Structures are given as structure tokens and as C-alpha cells.
Amino acid sequence: MKNAMGIIFTDRDEYRLSQLTQKRAAAALPIASRYRLIDFTLSNMVNAGIINVGVPTQSNYSSLMDHLGTGSEWDLARKNYGLFILPPFVSQGSMTGARGDIDVLYGILPYIRRSSQKYVLLADGNLIYNMNYCDIQRFHRDTNADITLLYNHIDPAGEPSRYTMLTVEEDGRVTDVEERPGHTGRTSAYMNVMLLEKSLLEALIEGCVARGEHDLVMDVLVKNTNNLRIFGFPYRGYVGRVDSVESYFQINMDLLDPDIRRELFNPNNPVYTKVKDNVPAKHGEWADVKNSLIADGCIVDGRVENSILFRGVQVRRGAVIRNSIVMQDSYIHEDCELDCAVIDKNVHIREDVRLVGQPSYPVIIPKGATV
Amino acid sequence: MKPKRCIAMILAGGQGSRLGLLTKTLAKPAVHFGGKYRIIDFPLSNCVHSGLDTVGVLTQYQPLELNTYIGNGKPWDLDRNNGGVFVLPPYVKKERGEWYKGTANAIFQNAGFIEQFDPEYVLILSGDHVYKMHYGNMIDFHEASGADATIGVIRVPLEEASRFGIMNTDETGRIIEFEEKPKAPKNDLASMGIYVFTWQKLKKYLLEDEQDEQSSNDFGKDIIPRMLAGGEKLMAHRFDGYWKDVGTIASLWEANMDLVSCLPKFNLYDREWRIFSRNPALPPHYVAATAHVQNVCITEGCVVRGTVERSVLFEGVEVEEGARVSDSILMPYTKVAKNAVVERSIVDASTVIGEASHIGSEQSNCGDFRSDYCTDGITLIGSNLFIGAGVSVARGSMVDRNLMV
């Protein structure tokens, strides 16, 4: 992707992720045994040849910073550009908390101005998909668009009210943008990825700030479908949008499907993450694992079905884990039983404990707890 | 530049000819081990954990894969501003260029490299062993005892002692006699091929050794006996942990199997002493509903739909439904197709074992491939091969070509 910089948003208040995001930004949420959400968007950018990526952060950003480090896992520890983690800049006269993404962008405006790329790709870090962003840029040029929005088709019978819905004409022109419209029968859901020229973005940010506006969707997109050439580019592959505990749970379970896995982990577009140099996983004498994803560093000696185990998880003999997600370094002791549970990092589930939830309402055990 | 207290030199030029096909296109230190490692990861990781930040890797035989693997040393934290890891192949000098004639000659030819860092001590390692050892303790011991050379030794069963270089020591641990592969060993302390030398002393003996036309320019055969004869103080430093030469197909197989048991003989779980390696960017491994996996070491990118027992699976391995793999090592990106059986075998990288074929069976059905390299009933299938459907390969075979029934 020539001449473009990337900006990844890492947190939004509206995500209903309960305890899972109490101590971390949404984009830092662990997913798929060894990744964090942001790995997918960041790897998409890197695989498209973007070498200047800004990651503005708002609060609870220590786990995100720890994860991204210098950016070297994504080959973004560079002399020219690379990865920029941009914590909130608070000074006299500036506001202390960002109310919307316009405020976040205004906070990093000096960084945006300093960058020499012509285009900016803005993306939310809570979606997982594997796509070549170069396709968006080609489309953007071909249609002579001011702003190109990425969207995918969703089932209108589902629950569209959570998304920003687009009305896209046959030629790709976006004629209407509605934020969480309820059941309107619209099927084009905005993926919170937009491409535009940097000069236009700078003008839009300044215009919004001058008028006391805060929101990229409500104040820029919704109001400008007539004034700007806004186009929509459809993405037809698998998209996982992590915006609730339920979707988080479901998307992890989606990864047990080999077709979805093949698409997300396309060897030509690898997904990079922080390397931890764990020992290979061990299945012991009493291990009985079915339909599960297991990361390196795990020692499994119990029964695991339809589950996702992160790096360094231990499952002792007699323990049974079904339909569950167990995050890094948690320890499931002898004869426990877990069903529809999300176990956060460094949790101990002691002997004989039984935790049973529902797919729509999994039991969540917060980071570091002992049950 | 600030002088270094000690730098490490890893002898990685050996062919490892007893590993047969496994070292056809790569040097022994680049041979895969333990699910995600290569042999050289062990000395490199030991160096970093021991506080050594400057490491020369001397290569000669088939160095390309090893060079790429080491790269800039980042996976081992050896991308340093002052020091780091350096690959040192033989080079052309003013009048002539020459290959490394022996282990001592390899160091002699790189004396100029060592001098750049002006070290007090030089640690000489081989890239042939898997073990976890704190070299810092050995260097401290060397310094405290005022030795000119200190040799790492390990107890071996007396009946096997004649396969090793044996150190006969006095009660203080000073080496009084060194016997290379003695017929009647007097002692059970075997050299591990790990040496700390005081650099100025070593330099003197390397120069002398070069002038001796009869010398084979080898540390064990020439330098150590010469130093003993010269009355230098040589100390033995005992190591008690797991240490294994993985120089033969049987010993490589056995060392891998040491990782499979529930309480492994070779424990790699120490967080403070992680073995670093170059990681592939692959998803976690997937175990399907049709799979049975027990006593297995398995890593990222693997997909298992069949039965796997007491085995080590490297990255990207696929075992299809109905296939049975036991007591085996499957190197990166190998594939075992439906209903195939792999027993007590090593399958090298990117090889496909076709449907319903049988590796390590009673008898072959397409030619005799039995080999002296494959002892203990172990079967070795080379890399990038295709073993067709229904092929049987007898145990003890070494297969270097595609097979069809």
C-alpha cells in the first residue's frame, strides 16, 4: 500500500466487554490462543506494506504497550517511521479525557502532520479478519473517492442495531450512514476502517474541533454524504467484531472451524504477535483433547473439548474443560469442571470447582483470581 | 572499545556425518530438536543467560540454512551495539585461503576476530550438544582457581567412558592426565567439549600448534595434551545436569523422546532459562474431535486429526484422520495422510507420507533401504520426499527418494 500511514484505535467506551476490559484496552484483549485483537489489524497493515503506524491509547494501556513493545515483532522497529504508541497528551488547557475519536485524533494531530504519507488508513483494533488493504487503495483511486469505507454484508435478520449501517449504491457510492439504526433491513455494516487523504483528515479534524464535534461517524460521515464523495468497499471474507462478551466468546469458538482458521491464518499474510519463547505444548498421559486450539507452553493432562487454551495454561488430571476459553498461565487443578467459562490470565481454579455458564452469558473469572 | 571479560566461540562447522540424511544439506548445529528448536539454540541461549554478549559461530559445512537461521541474532537477544552474534566462515587471506583444518585451527584463523574484543578469557563451545548450563559459573571458577584452561566434564558410566575424552584429575580437580577414547579408562569424567581459556595463553599454544606440521589442529587431540606437557594449570569443572550429544540418529531420537515423558528428563520449563529460537508466525495447534493425542510434544501450526502417541511434532505438521503416529519425530511441515502408520521413525522436513503407507514396518514392499546409520530399529525418511500410498518401509531404513508401490 503505497504512501499510506495507519492509525489504529484501541478502545471505545461503548464496548460491553465487562471485566475483560477492566484492566486492558479492548484491542489488547487476548484471542485465539496466542494473539491479542490488535495483532490482526496491525498485521494487515504491515502485510500491505504500511511502515508508519500510530496507536493512540486512552486508558489502561500498559498491557497494550507491553504487548507491542518496540514493534519489532511486526518489523516496525525502524529508523524511518515504524510503530508509534501515542498515550493521551494532557496539558494545561487541553481536555483531560477524549469524548470521541475526533478528540483522540486531535490529540495526535502533531504526529499526523509530521508524517509525510499522502493517505491515512484509520482502523479499529477490535475486529479480526485477514485482508489486503491494497485493494481499498486501488478502489479509492479508481472511484476518485474522498473517503472510502470498508464494510461487510451481515444477515439482516440478525442484530444490526450494534453497527453503523451504510446505504451503498451500485457504483459504490455511500448515500446514507446510520448509527445503530435498529431493524431497517440494511445489510452493509461499516467495519470501522476508512481511507482518505491526510490533508482531508487534518481539515476534518480541525473543522470538527472548531464546532465542538467529537465523533467521526456522527459528525463527519453522517453529515457529509452529500458534500463528500464517500464510497464503500465490500469485504467478503470472515469478519469477527469483538464488541461484547457474547461476541468475544462466539468469535473464539468460530476459530475451531477449519475454514475460518484457514482464512484468518493465510500463510501469505501471516498474523504476527509477541513471541514468548514458550516450550512446545505437552499432552500428557491422561490428556484427552477434542476440537480445541492449544498454544505452546500448555501442559494438558485432563479433558479439553471445544475450547481455546492460551500460552502456558496447565490442565491437571481429572479436570474437564468444555466450550471454554482459558487465558495465559492459568492453572486448572485436578477434577475441576468448566463449561462456557472465560478464565482470564493467571487464574487458579482449585480442585473440584465446578463453573458452568451459557454461550450467551459465559462465566467470567477476572485476571489473577483464585476460585 | 571497552575490553570484554569473556567472549564465546561456537564450533559449528561439523558435518555430523553420523546423522545420515538429516545433515545432507545442513550443518549439525542447524538440525531440528525438541519440537521448535535447533541444536544451536542451546549454546546460544546458554550464552545469553550466562551474561555473554559476544558470540562467534564458526561455520564451514553447509552453512546457508544456519546463517539464515542465526540472522542478526535477535531471537537470542544477541543483536547488540557492542558485540552480538557473528557468523565466521573461512576466508581468503593475503597469500591464500584455506578451510578450517581442525577445531584449534578454526579458532587460530579467527584470532583477529577475538583480538578486536580484547577479552581476558575465551569460551570454546561445540554446536553438537543439548544441555542447559551456566557458563558464568565456570568462568568464575576458572578465574578463582587461576587456571590457564578449564574443561567442562561430566560423569559417564565407566563402561561407556572409552567413547569419550577422559580427564584424570587430582583431589583439587586439577587435570593431571588426558586420555582421548582410552581402552582402559581410569576415570569416569568425560570432556563435554566446553573449554574456558585464558586468551593470551591459548594464543601462544595455538601459534605453536600451527607450526607443528604433524598436528591435527584439534583441541582434544593436540592443544590440551600440549598444554599439559607444558606444565600449565588445567582444571576440570564438573557439570551435573542433563547433557546429551545428539550426534547419531539413535541419540537424536532418544534425546527427543526424553522430552515426551510427563516429568521430562530434560526440563525446558524454567522461565528464567528459556531456550530461545526463531519462531514461525503460525496459529496455535489444533486437535480435532477425531484425534487421540497422548504423551506428545507439539507446537504451533500443527493440525492433528489422527492418533499420536509418544512423539515430537514440529511446526506445521499435519496428521490426518485414521493415521497413527507413535514413538516418532515429525520435522517441520511434514504430513501424514489418512490411515498411514508411522512407528519409531524420524520424518524430515516437508515430507509427505501417503495414504495407508507404513513407515517402520516389518518389511519393505518397494526396495531395501536398510542403513547402518539407522540403529535401534529407527527409520529415517529424508526431507522434501513423497512416500506414495500403500508403501511399506521396513524399520532401520533410511529413505532418500520418493517411493511408489
Side-chain angles (χ1 to χ4, degrees):
Chain A
M1 192 163 184
K2 291 221 177 73
N3 216 353
M5 65 184 289
I7 292 172
I8 303 177
F9 294 100
T10 54
D11 215 357
R12 289 185 189 275
D13 293 340
E14 63 258 42
Y15 299 148
R16 295 164 289 143
L17 284 161
S18 140
Q19 290 116 305
L20 295 174
T21 51
Q22 222 162 49
K23 286 181 179 162
R24 58 170 78 90
L29 198 57
I31 192 156
S33 286
R34 62 186 297 263
Y35 302 93
R36 292 187 187 249
L37 280 175
I38 196 172
D39 293 340
F40 291 83
T41 301
L42 190 54
S43 299
N44 282 340
M45 287 190 176
V46 169
N47 288 330
I50 294 177
I51 60 156
N52 181 16
V53 181
V55 180
T57 59
Q58 291 311 303
S59 53
N60 295 341
Y61 49 81
S62 73
S63 59
L64 192 66
M65 287 183 79
D66 175 51
H67 179 69
L68 295 175
T70 60
S72 71
E73 309 286 5
W74 295 265
D75 254 342
L76 285 175
R78 305 244 189 156
K79 291 210 166 172
N80 283 323
Y81 299 107
L83 179 73
F84 294 88
I85 300 173
L86 305 158
F89 182 76
V90 183
S91 70
Q92 219 175 9
S94 83
M95 60 210 123
T96 48
R99 284 174 58 188
D101 35 23
I102 290 291
D103 306 314
V104 172
L105 288 168
Y106 187 64
I108 65 167
L109 198 54
Y111 158 72
I112 296 172
R113 281 194 204 287
R114 219 167 40 236
S115 300
S116 68
Q117 285 82 6
K118 186 180 173 195
Y119 296 96
V120 187
L121 184 74
L122 300 172
D124 274 15
N126 67 317
L127 279 75
I128 67 169
Y129 54 100
N130 190 330
M131 96 167 270
N132 186 348
Y133 286 143
C134 298
D135 297 340
I136 306 181
Q137 193 175 33
R138 208 169 301 122
F139 176 86
H140 185 82
R141 285 201 193 118
D142 289 350
T143 55
N144 197 22
D146 292 318
I147 298 176
T148 299
L149 307 179
L150 187 65
Y151 69 94
N152 73 327
H153 289 287
I154 59 164
D155 180 4
E159 191 202 347
S161 60
R162 301 211 308 269
Y163 308 136
T164 304
M165 303 306 291
L166 309 178
T167 306
V168 186
E169 301 301 319
E170 240 165 64
D171 64 350
R173 182 83 188 249
V174 175
T175 51
D176 197 12
V177 179
E178 296 163 280
E179 180 90 323
R180 304 186 208 185
H183 285 274
T184 56
R186 304 226 190 288
T187 59
S188 303
Y190 178 41
M191 286 166 65
N192 292 351
V193 175
M194 76 162 74
L195 180 72
L196 72 173
E197 283 190 23
K198 193 168 78 92
S199 54
L200 175 60
L201 179 67
E202 288 166 6
L204 290 170
I205 296 168
E206 285 178 331
C208 282
V209 170
R211 290 191 295 272
E213 295 167 342
H214 303 284
D215 197 82
L216 211 44
V217 170
M218 292 306 279
D219 298 316
V220 173
L221 298 181
V222 171
K223 291 176 185 170
N224 283 304
T225 47
N226 290 323
N227 310 328
L228 293 169
R229 285 175 62 80
I230 302 178
F231 279 74
F233 181 78
Y235 177 67
R236 305 198 190 277
Y238 174 84
V239 179
R241 298 164 190 260
V242 179
D243 54 4
S244 65
V245 171
E246 188 186 348
S247 62
Y248 173 75
F249 187 78
Q250 186 52 48
I251 287 162
N252 271 290
M253 294 304 152
D254 283 352
L255 294 166
L256 296 174
D257 178 335
D259 293 331
I260 291 175
R261 235 176 20 249
R262 209 167 295 131
E263 202 184 302
L264 274 177
F265 301 108
N266 172 358
N268 297 321
N269 274 332
V271 183
Y272 302 99
T273 190
K274 185 179 179 183
V275 167
K276 302 203 173 193
D277 294 288
N278 291 90
V279 182
K282 171 78 70 64
H283 293 250
E285 183 80 40
W286 308 99
D288 180 10
V289 179
K290 306 281 182 214
N291 190 36
S292 296
L293 279 172
I294 294 174
D296 277 7
C298 288
I299 303 178
V300 180
D301 221 3
R303 272 177 72 185
V304 181
E305 278 171 40
N306 311 327
S307 294
I308 313 282
L309 304 191
F310 283 75
R311 294 185 273 203
V313 166
Q314 296 204 38
V315 181
R316 300 307 300 269
R317 189 177 165 183
V320 180
I321 300 177
R322 289 193 194 93
N323 313 308
S324 294
I325 299 164
V326 185
M327 293 191 209
Q328 201 182 310
D329 294 329
S330 283
Y331 201 116
I332 314 300
H333 289 259
E334 284 81 356
D335 304 318
C336 294
E337 191 185 336
L338 305 182
D339 197 347
C340 289
V342 178
I343 310 296
D344 210 319
K345 286 170 73 171
N346 295 309
V347 167
H348 275 264
I349 308 289
R350 290 267 167 223
E351 290 80 355
D352 301 314
V353 171
R354 196 161 170 264
L355 295 171
V356 180
Q358 290 295 320
S360 56
Y361 207 86
V363 181
I364 301 178
I365 306 298
K367 198 168 165 177
T370 299
V371 180
Chain B
M1 199 157 59
K2 193 175 156 215
K4 301 263 178 197
R5 180 178 178 230
C6 183
I7 72 169
M9 300 291 274
I10 302 179
L11 300 161
Q15 180 182 353
S17 53
R18 290 174 300 155
L19 285 169
L21 282 177
L22 289 173
T23 50
K24 198 169 121 191
T25 57
L26 46 81
K28 182 175 169 189
V31 168
H32 296 279
F33 177 81
K36 65 188 294 194
Y37 309 103
R38 293 181 189 245
I39 296 170
I40 192 138
D41 288 330
F42 292 85
L44 283 176
S45 302
N46 286 340
C47 279
V48 172
H49 294 308
S50 303
L52 290 158
D53 63 6
T54 307
V55 182
V57 179
L58 297 102
T59 60
Q60 177 155 287
Y61 173 81
Q62 290 285 12
L64 299 182
E65 200 165 326
L66 187 59
N67 289 352
T68 315
Y69 186 70
I70 292 172
N72 67 349
K74 195 175 106 186
W76 304 271
D77 245 348
L78 283 171
D79 51 338
R80 302 291 175 97
N81 287 327
N82 178 8
V85 64
F86 302 87
V87 175
L88 303 168
Y91 59 96
V92 176
K93 288 120 200 137
K94 202 164 181 187
E95 288 93 18
R96 64 199 172 115
E98 56 180 355
W99 296 107
Y100 295 149
K101 289 181 287 178
T103 51
N105 176 257
I107 299 297
F108 174 78
Q109 290 200 39
N110 286 289
F113 168 80
I114 296 169
E115 296 271 83
Q116 292 178 78
F117 297 96
D118 192 14
E120 189 112 7
Y121 310 111
V122 175
L123 173 70
I124 309 284
L125 303 167
S126 77
D128 298 349
H129 304 113
V130 293
Y131 61 108
K132 298 190 300 180
M133 175 177 178
H134 200 309
Y135 304 133
N137 295 342
M138 182 168 164
I139 298 162
D140 291 346
F141 171 83
H142 175 84
E143 189 168 58
S145 63
D148 300 298
T150 300
I151 301 172
V153 294
I154 189 162
R155 281 233 142 90
V156 292
L158 202 56
E159 60 272 18
E160 285 178 33
S162 56
R163 295 198 293 124
F164 297 91
I166 296 297
M167 304 291 161
N168 297 321
T169 56
D170 69 11
E171 63 281 2
T172 65
R174 183 165 177 166
I175 298 165
I176 44 177
E177 190 188 12
F178 170 78
E179 294 179 291
E180 182 73 22
K181 302 195 174 126
K183 289 214 174 64
K186 298 173 205 154
N187 199 343
D188 61 354
L189 292 178
S191 166
M192 302 163 70
I194 298 171
Y195 309 94
V196 179
F197 290 102
T198 300
W199 169 236
Q200 293 305 329
K201 222 25 155 237
L202 175 63
K203 209 166 69 171
K204 173 172 167 267
Y205 279 92
L206 286 176
L207 265 169
E208 276 181 34
D209 183 61
E210 273 310 299
Q211 272 141 24
D212 179 357
E213 302 230 327
Q214 304 301 315
S215 172
S216 56
N217 307 115
D218 186 86
F219 275 102
K221 291 195 193 84
D222 306 292
I223 300 290
I224 299 302
R226 199 181 286 274
M227 287 183 84
L228 278 172
E232 306 292 352
K233 186 172 183 188
L234 275 68
M235 298 296 291
H237 180 72
R238 228 179 86 191
F239 176 71
D240 291 318
Y242 182 96
W243 176 82
K244 200 140 201 160
D245 184 342
V246 285
T248 63
I249 287 168
S251 65
L252 181 72
W253 180 86
E254 196 180 288
N256 273 283
M257 291 305 139
D258 283 348
L259 298 169
V260 162
S261 57
C262 220
L263 273 171
K265 280 188 199 159
F266 189 26
N267 185 355
L268 301 176
Y269 288 96
D270 184 355
R271 277 275 157 106
E272 300 298 306
W273 207 277
R274 277 179 294 175
I275 303 303
F276 300 128
S277 62
R278 198 171 276 282
N279 279 44
L282 290 174
H285 79 266
Y286 174 72
V287 178
T290 50
H292 297 273
V293 182
Q294 259 127 29
N295 293 318
V296 167
C297 243
I298 179 168
T299 189
E300 282 145 8
C302 292
V303 176
V304 180
R305 299 177 195 283
T307 300
V308 184
E309 291 169 327
R310 298 176 306 279
S311 295
V312 175
L313 272 55
F314 285 76
E315 77 251 23
V317 167
E318 257 183 82
V319 178
E320 291 190 347
E321 221 171 309
R324 277 197 298 119
V325 176
S326 57
D327 305 289
S328 293
I329 302 165
L330 303 181
M331 297 289 195
Y333 302 101
T334 54
K335 183 174 168 182
V336 180
K338 280 189 185 135
N339 303 321
V341 176
V342 178
E343 293 174 309
R344 208 176 166 84
S345 298
I346 301 176
V347 182
D348 205 354
S350 304
T351 284
V352 176
I353 306 296
E355 277 187 32
S357 52
H358 191 170
I359 309 300
S361 70
E362 295 285 331
Q363 269 179 338
S364 295
N365 63 359
C366 49
D368 186 4
F369 294 94
R370 265 168 295 177
S371 161
D372 293 339
Y373 288 110
C374 295
T375 55
D376 298 18
I378 296 163
T379 308
L380 171 61
I381 311 291
S383 61
N384 296 295
L385 297 180
F386 180 78
I387 305 299
V391 167
S392 290
V393 176
R395 52 179 88 100
S397 299
M398 183 163 84
V399 177
D400 63 349
R401 70 194 75 164
N402 296 337
L403 295 182
M404 296 285 188
V405 180

